Structure formats: structure tokens, C-alpha cells
Amino acid sequence: MPTPRRAKNDHLLYADVVDSKQKAGVWMGERDAYQAKQTEILEAVKDQADWVPIENAIMVVSTEPAGITIIAPNPTLPGVIVLADGGSPEASAQLQAAGEELVRKVMAERGILEEEAA
């Protein structure tokens, strides 16, 4: 039977310990309004990509290379997760890089700074 996730008030400390900051994809750093920035980034990405709705995320569909990219706010860390899957490891890597670059472009257009994942 599923169990609910524990409440994490120490999420940044936990991220340091388990080295999960890299999973954020594009890291924004801890800020009071990071969830509002995550929403702003996703809304802007929607304007620049072919996508289908997924609850609290978007799925970008690509034909060149063929595959999908899921872009979602990280639920426990101040970043945006980019997950890509293509027809080959090379296509997946290209989609991953393109998805991360799109998020970075949108962030730059909005003056949202990317920070090192530490």
C-alpha cells in the first residue's frame, strides 16, 4: 500500500546529502518565490514548443530527433526537471540538451538566474 511522502522542511540539506541537486535539471537556487518562477518558466516554454498537458508538467513532442521531453517543476527543490526519451541514446541526449537549453532560454528572457547545483 502506498505511503505518503514525508514533509521535508530540510529539503536543501537533504539534497546536499544525497547529491540530488543534479536531478533538478536546470537549477535556480533557493529563493522565496521559486515556485512562482517554475510556473512562469513552464508557461513560457508552452509558447515555444509543441506540447501536451500533463498534470503539473508539460510534455514536448519532437520529430527531429523523434522523442518526448517532460518538463516539470521539481516538487521539492528550486529547479526545473527535464527528462527526455528518444529512439536511441544519442537522440535522448539531444532531446535532453535541447530541453535544458529551452528552459535556460526562457529563464534568461525573464531575468531568472541559473545557479550552480553545488
Side-chain angles (χ1 to χ4, degrees), residues 41-72:
I41 291 165
L42 291 182
E43 289 303 314
V45 167
K46 287 179 184 179
D47 292 338
Q48 299 183 30
D50 295 325
W51 63 279
V52 296
I54 300 174
E55 188 174 345
N56 299 321
I58 56 176
M59 181 170 70
V60 178
V61 180
S62 174
T63 56
E64 189 54 45
I68 60 168
T69 305
I70 305 294
I71 302 174

Side-chain angles (χ1 to χ4, degrees), residues 88-103:
S88 68
E90 294 80 18
S92 295
Q94 287 178 2
L95 292 168
Q96 179 78 29
E100 289 180 7
E101 184 56 35
L102 179 57
V103 170

Side-chain angles (χ1 to χ4, degrees), residues 21-42:
K21 285 186 187 178
Q22 293 176 355
K23 296 177 188 172
V26 180
W27 183 256
M28 292 182 295
E30 181 69 35
R31 297 290 180 266
D32 291 338
Y34 77 83
Q35 290 175 330
K37 289 178 183 175
Q38 289 172 331
T39 300
E40 181 181 346
I41 291 165
L42 291 182

Side-chain angles (χ1 to χ4, degrees), residues 6 8-24 27 29-30 74 76-78 115-118:
R6 73 173 178 91
K8 291 198 282 184
N9 297 328
D10 62 342
H11 65 278
L12 287 180
L13 207 65
Y14 180 80
D16 283 335
V17 171
V18 298
D19 196 29
S20 66
K21 285 186 187 178
Q22 293 176 355
K23 296 177 188 172
W27 183 256
E30 181 69 35
N74 188 313
T76 59
L77 296 172
E115 296 183 19
E116 290 296 318

